Amino acid sequence: MRKITLIIIHCSATPEGRNLDFETCRHDHIHHRGFKDIGYHFYITRDGGIHRGRSLERICYEGGLSAGGIPADTRTLEQKAALLALLRELRAVLPEAIIVGHRDLNPLKGCPCFDAVKEYGGV
C-alpha cells in the first residue's frame, strides 16, 4: 500500500433538502464524469451511514450547499458523529496522516464548507 499522508474531507455539493445517495453519486461519477468508480473512499449520507467506495483516504459527506445552492455547512448531527468516528478509526491506522479539507489544498474550492483543520486537526 502506498504511504498515505493526507485524509481529505469533501462534500458532494448537494443542496440542502435534496438527496444524493451513495449509488446515485457513484453512478454520476462513472457515467457523467468518466471515473472508473465513485471518486471517494468513504461517503457519509445524511442519516450518518458510512459507505465504502474506493480504498482509503478520501472522505465525502452528502450535502455542502444551502437550499439556495450557496456553500454551507449542512452536516446533520448523524453525519458529524459518523465523520468523527470514521476519522478516529483512520487515525488509528494512519497516525501520521494530516486531516484537511479539499479547500485547504485548493483555495478556489469551498468544499467541504467548514474548517476541517480547525474541527478535526486534533483527532
Side-chain angles (χ1 to χ4, degrees):
M1 178 165 93
R2 65 189 156 87
K3 182 173 181 173
I4 296 172
T5 59
L6 294 173
I7 298 171
I8 305 166
I9 301 173
H10 297 264
C11 67
S12 65
T14 306
E16 201 170 13
R18 283 200 211 155
N19 289 331
L20 182 68
D21 63 46
F22 178 76
E23 287 303 326
T24 303
C25 185
R26 172 181 265 157
H27 183 271
D28 176 64
H29 283 197
I30 294 169
H31 297 286
H32 297 134
R33 296 185 184 200
F35 295 179
K36 291 182 181 179
D37 197 354
I38 190 168
Y40 309 115
H41 303 278
F42 298 94
Y43 187 75
I44 302 173
T45 47
R46 286 188 170 94
D47 63 2
I50 299 173
H51 305 267
R52 190 168 190 110
R54 295 181 178 213
S55 58
L56 228 37
E57 85 280 12
R58 286 190 191 141
I59 302 167
C60 177
Y61 69 91
E62 177 185 12
L65 297 179
S66 69
I70 306 297
D73 185 359
T74 61
R75 292 173 297 156
T76 64
L77 292 176
E78 294 85 358
Q79 282 176 305
K80 288 180 180 184
L83 181 55
L84 181 59
L86 177 58
L87 289 171
R88 285 181 174 153
E89 284 182 39
L90 290 173
R91 292 289 284 163
V93 176
L94 307 166
E96 295 180 23
I98 299 167
I99 298 170
V100 298
H102 188 191
R103 71 185 194 173
D104 298 312
L105 304 176
N106 182 344
L108 299 177
K109 299 284 184 180
C111 169
C113 304
F114 67 91
D115 190 339
V117 173
K118 182 177 180 183
E119 192 163 335
Y120 298 111
V123 170

